[in-house]
Amino acid sequence: MDLDLVRTLLAVVDAGTFDAAATNLHVTPSAVSQRIKALEHRTGRVLLVRARPVRLTPSGEVLVRYGRQLLALDQDLDLALGEDAVVRVPIAVNADSLATWFLPALQRVPTQLKISFDLHREDQDHTTALLRQGLVMAAVTSSREPVAGCEVRKLGSIRYAAMATRSYLDRYANGPVKSWLPGAPVVVFDRNDDLQDRFVRTLTRGRGASDHRHYVPSSEVYVRAIVAGLGWGMVPPQQLQEGLVDLAPGRTVDIPLYWQQWKLDSPALTAVADAVEQEAAQALR
């Protein structure tokens, strides 16, 4: 497979449009279009849906996974031959891990490997989708079922407790927590986040959290929103702040986390996996 054509496909997928990919590759949009057509002609498959942003077809997902592995091996070869190469490692990671233990894990990776980390923030229940699409080489995920072509390592669990401020409790608490919490304002990370609903269902055996929701898609700002009294929310211990009260002591939600990565004999990817596993052993349950 022509590496220039593969690089062009990956550039389009990463940038989202032909024009943006052309800018990144320092070529014209017409040149990008011609390369993609040449790759589609060579494979006999339509690889991209021409939308904004572009979308991969199933055949495109297969080729992107292959292409990233091919380029990773090419970069590893340069390093092995003593070339001054930087190895790009795209990783999908959930926001709470990114805000707490994941960056210290990356600090464990030997700097002489010259790895460029390309982090994609996504909910832990959805990171495997990025693996399937070939957008990342590895992911922190809640799924222990390996994506095709991937291997899995168990990292541990991150524990969440339902938290709110004392003033919030004074406004909304009336009787047992299971009687008032389902109707009380809640802070939710994004529309993929069902952690709060899951917790309320453990209390009520079926009913979810309130429709009065504040969506705050940033781990740090999420906790600040709870501290500000906008609502209650599920918080890991690493992000606890003064003034927050546990709404249901002894009741928690544990989310198991796994490391999934392509089955690829890559020194860079192996070094990242080892570093993540070592940090997780100390930071997670």
Side-chain angles (χ1 to χ4, degrees), residues 9-22 24 53-54:
L9 175 64
L10 298 182
V12 172
V13 171
D14 291 339
T17 67
F18 282 45
D19 288 346
N24 294 338
V54 297

Side-chain angles (χ1 to χ4, degrees), residues 34-275:
Q34 290 172 11
R35 291 179 188 179
I36 297 301
K37 288 179 181 177
L39 192 55
E40 290 179 327
H41 178 74
R42 182 167 299 184
T43 59
R45 307 289 179 89
V46 175
L47 304 176
L48 293 173
V49 177
R50 270 67 166 177
R52 297 182 69 89
V54 297
R55 299 194 308 274
L56 287 166
T57 66
S59 296
E61 291 180 1
V62 171
L63 197 61
V64 164
R65 286 198 301 271
Y66 168 84
R68 291 202 193 280
Q69 294 178 28
L70 187 62
L71 289 184
L73 290 173
D74 185 59
Q75 292 168 342
D76 286 338
L77 176 61
D78 286 342
L79 288 176
L81 293 174
E83 299 290 339
D84 188 20
V86 176
V87 179
R88 176 175 171 267
V89 178
I91 305 169
V93 58
N94 61 305
D96 288 338
S97 292
L98 192 57
T100 53
W101 65 273
F102 196 76
L103 290 183
L106 298 186
Q107 290 180 303
R108 293 175 176 266
V109 179
T111 57
Q112 62 266 28
L113 290 178
K114 294 186 178 179
I115 297 175
S116 174
F117 301 110
D118 183 1
L119 302 183
H120 298 244
R121 190 191 67 189
E122 183 56 88
D123 182 84
Q124 64 270 2
D125 293 336
H126 296 82
T127 48
T128 51
L130 301 185
L131 275 172
R132 290 189 186 92
Q133 295 166 12
L135 299 180
V136 298
M137 298 171 64
V140 176
T141 174
S142 59
S143 175
R144 65 181 179 182
E145 296 300 322
V147 172
C150 291
E151 58 187 22
V152 182
R153 302 187 192 189
K154 185 173 182 179
L155 297 177
S157 297
I158 185 166
R159 172 163 289 182
Y160 294 84
M163 295 289 172
T165 62
R166 176 59 62 185
S167 61
Y168 178 90
L169 284 175
D170 292 341
R171 288 198 307 274
Y172 296 102
N174 183 18
V177 65
K178 67 180 181 180
S179 67
W180 62 267
L181 193 64
V186 60
V187 182
V188 181
F189 184 81
D190 61 19
R191 285 161 180 79
N192 290 327
D193 177 16
D194 73 339
L195 196 53
Q196 286 66 222
D197 290 294
R198 191 182 310 184
F199 179 76
V200 172
R201 285 195 293 268
T202 66
L203 298 178
T204 64
R205 297 182 181 180
R207 187 178 176 186
S210 171
D211 289 335
H212 186 173
R213 299 175 178 227
H214 305 288
Y215 293 100
V216 184
S218 163
S219 285
E220 296 83 357
V221 183
Y222 175 90
V223 177
R224 284 164 51 191
I226 297 173
V227 172
L230 293 182
W232 70 275
M234 303 299 290
V235 180
Q238 298 95 327
Q239 290 183 281
L240 285 180
Q241 294 190 16
E242 186 176 351
L244 293 182
V245 178
D246 193 338
L247 303 183
R251 285 184 174 268
T252 56
V253 175
D254 287 352
I255 303 297
L257 296 179
Y258 301 86
W259 175 259
Q260 290 209 34
Q261 69 175 57
W262 292 345
K263 292 179 181 177
L264 188 66
D265 187 16
S266 165
L269 192 54
T270 298
V272 174
D274 291 342

